[in-house]
Structure formats: C-alpha cells, structure tokens
Amino acid sequence: MRTTIEQDIAISAIRCCHAARSRGEDNVLPCLYAALESHGCGLLAPAFLGLVEACEYCMGRDFCPGSAERFSADECQILALLDDPAHGGISFAHGPHARSGLELLVSAAASTSFLIERECAGPTNRSSAPGHPSR
C-alpha cells in the first residue's frame, strides 16, 4: 500500500496535468515540476507526464480528476496501477488503444513507482539504492 505522502504526490501530479491542460497550456512540464517540487520531487515531472499520457492513450480520453474530498475513479485506478503495475493496468484495458498501449503503460507505471519510492525514501536510503554509487 502506498504511503499517504506517495499518494499525495501522485494525486498532485495527476491534478496538475489536468489543470494545466484545462488552462490551455501547451507545455505541462513547468507547472508539473512546480507542483511536484512542493513535495521535494520536481524531477519526477517527466515520469508522471508520461504515465498520465499513457493512461489517457489506453483509455481513449482525458483523465478525470477528483475533488479535495474524494479521489475520482481514474485517480483510484492510477494509484492501483502504481501499487501493482503488472495487474493494475488491467483497469485501463477498456479504451480503444488499450491493447497497443498496455505494455507502455505498465512500463511507465513501474518506472514511476520506483522513482516515487526512491524519492520518498530520503537521502540515506537513496544512497543505498541499487545502482547508486556509495559516497
């Protein structure tokens, strides 16, 4: 199960993408970076943008955000996808491009999930992550 902090980061990113697009912004990354940087993980912006776009591609529609009081069904699906990329992607398999986009979606979710966990781990745990040079 994701921590509250990890859920907050994911929901913040999803809602930021939707809000920026609703305002007609062509480049969502600066807004997304700023929203994620408020959680100390602005470098996750490209990963989240790719994940949201892969979800929307599979669904064949834009993401529907929730409210301050409640997550939307789409947000719940993306949180499930981040918890278990291999099985969570099934919930997006109803769109017109689901078959062709599912592998991309699972890869994007797995990468984003890893990056969230790594960023939320803190500096001590990050330095001991596989592939990270020790200091």
Side-chain angles (χ1 to χ4, degrees), residues 18-30:
H18 184 269
R21 288 179 180 160
S22 295
R23 290 189 303 269
E25 293 182 28
D26 290 331
N27 187 357
V28 175
L29 279 174

Side-chain angles (χ1 to χ4, degrees), residues 57-82:
Y57 178 76
C58 285
M59 292 188 302
R61 62 175 174 79
D62 290 345
F63 229 83
C64 294
S67 64
E69 299 83 31
R70 186 175 165 153
F71 293 153
S72 70
D74 287 350
E75 290 170 340
C76 290
Q77 287 180 330
I78 203 166
L79 290 173
L81 177 64
L82 288 168

